[in-house]
Amino acid sequence: MKKITFTTLLLLVFINTNAQDILETVTKEVCSCIESKKESMKGLPQNQLQTQLGLCMLASYNNHESVVKAKYGDVMADEKNMEKFAEAIGMKMVTICPETLMSIAGAMGEGGEDTATAAEVKSVEGTITEIKNDQFTTISVKDKNSRMYTFLVLNYFDTSSLIIGNELNKNNSVIIKYSEVELYDNKAKEFRFYKVISGIEKK
């Protein structure tokens, strides 16, 4: 009985230590990720800078999902948890990589309102033909004119629970809101425009 209790205590201490250290670990990874994208991010409008920052956070989150959930809850399913997690990273960046934080903040400030809305929000109504869950989820849709579209899930949006909860299936009728975002395709070694989902309505 004592052995079990002692082992349990050791496990709790280990989990607590990991939870305390995870913010610093994630922040360092986010800082490093942003630094690696610094050149390619020059001149991007505000919405695309935010997307790149979000991708860096998502990449680190995927590396430490269980520990992050233990401290911040399921940040991918709850907007408040996501905000709390992002704010904590932002505050930690002040001490870990202040120059990187300032450069991002400055670039976003230079964008202004016009560039922040540069990516026009569009919508497509159609039927889901395929859902792929790789590193990022992609959803293929065919509209009433049989035109095919492929959408990328990168950011949190109000109805993202439909994806997280596996509530979308092939042949479902949907309305998808999206914007065109320029991202770097590492395989093709070039920048390409992707349709990034900003909202889904299941009909």
Side-chain angles (χ1 to χ4, degrees):
M1 185 69 177
K2 289 183 179 180
K3 184 177 180 182
I4 294 174
T5 303
F6 181 68
T7 303
T8 303
L9 285 172
L10 282 178
L11 181 60
L12 289 173
V13 169
F14 175 74
I15 292 173
N16 187 53
T17 301
N18 276 348
Q20 290 175 350
D21 294 342
I22 191 60
L23 180 59
E24 183 169 350
T25 299
V26 168
T27 304
K28 285 180 178 178
E29 290 182 359
V30 170
C31 289
S32 177
C33 177
I34 293 171
E35 281 295 322
S36 70
K37 296 171 177 276
K38 206 169 184 178
E39 289 301 316
S40 61
M41 289 169 67
K42 285 182 178 179
L44 290 180
Q46 183 175 345
N47 67 304
Q48 292 187 30
L49 286 170
Q50 290 173 337
T51 296
Q52 293 300 322
L53 181 58
L55 287 173
C56 286
M57 289 184 180
L58 181 60
S60 185
Y61 168 79
N62 288 336
N63 292 336
H64 312 283
E65 183 175 352
S66 59
V67 185
V68 172
K69 280 185 176 181
K71 186 171 184 179
Y72 295 97
D74 192 344
V75 300
M76 298 304 294
D78 190 302
E79 187 174 6
K80 289 183 178 179
N81 288 341
M82 173 65 81
E83 289 177 357
K84 181 181 176 183
F85 181 51
E87 286 174 5
I89 292 173
M91 292 298 292
K92 197 69 175 176
M93 287 176 73
V94 174
T95 57
I96 292 179
C97 57
E99 292 182 0
T100 301
L101 178 62
M102 291 303 294
S103 66
I104 289 293
M108 287 185 175
E110 290 171 3
E113 293 183 1
D114 290 338
T115 53
T117 57
E120 179 186 355
V121 176
K122 305 175 184 178
S123 66
V124 166
E125 181 176 349
T127 304
I128 294 176
T129 60
E130 186 178 35
I131 299 175
K132 286 185 178 180
N133 294 305
D134 295 321
Q135 182 178 5
F136 300 109
T137 296
T138 58
I139 300 176
S140 298
V141 171
K142 181 168 68 173
D143 69 10
K144 62 182 180 180
N145 297 316
S146 297
R147 184 176 178 182
M148 296 298 302
Y149 298 82
T150 300
F151 302 95
L152 189 61
V153 180
L154 290 183
N155 305 312
Y156 176 87
F157 49 88
D158 289 342
T159 53
S160 58
S161 59
L162 290 174
I163 298 172
I164 296 167
N166 295 317
E167 297 179 41
L168 294 178
N169 298 290
K170 187 176 179 180
N171 297 323
N172 282 163
S173 295
V174 292
I175 298 175
I176 294 184
K177 293 181 180 179
Y178 69 96
S179 57
E180 301 255 346
V181 178
E182 190 175 19
L183 300 172
Y184 184 67
D185 185 335
N186 190 50
K187 289 184 178 179
K189 301 299 180 184
E190 64 180 13
F191 283 92
R192 295 174 51 197
F193 280 95
Y194 291 84
K195 293 177 174 61
V196 178
I197 296 177
S198 58
I200 296 179
E201 178 184 342
K202 187 177 179 181
K203 299 185 67 181

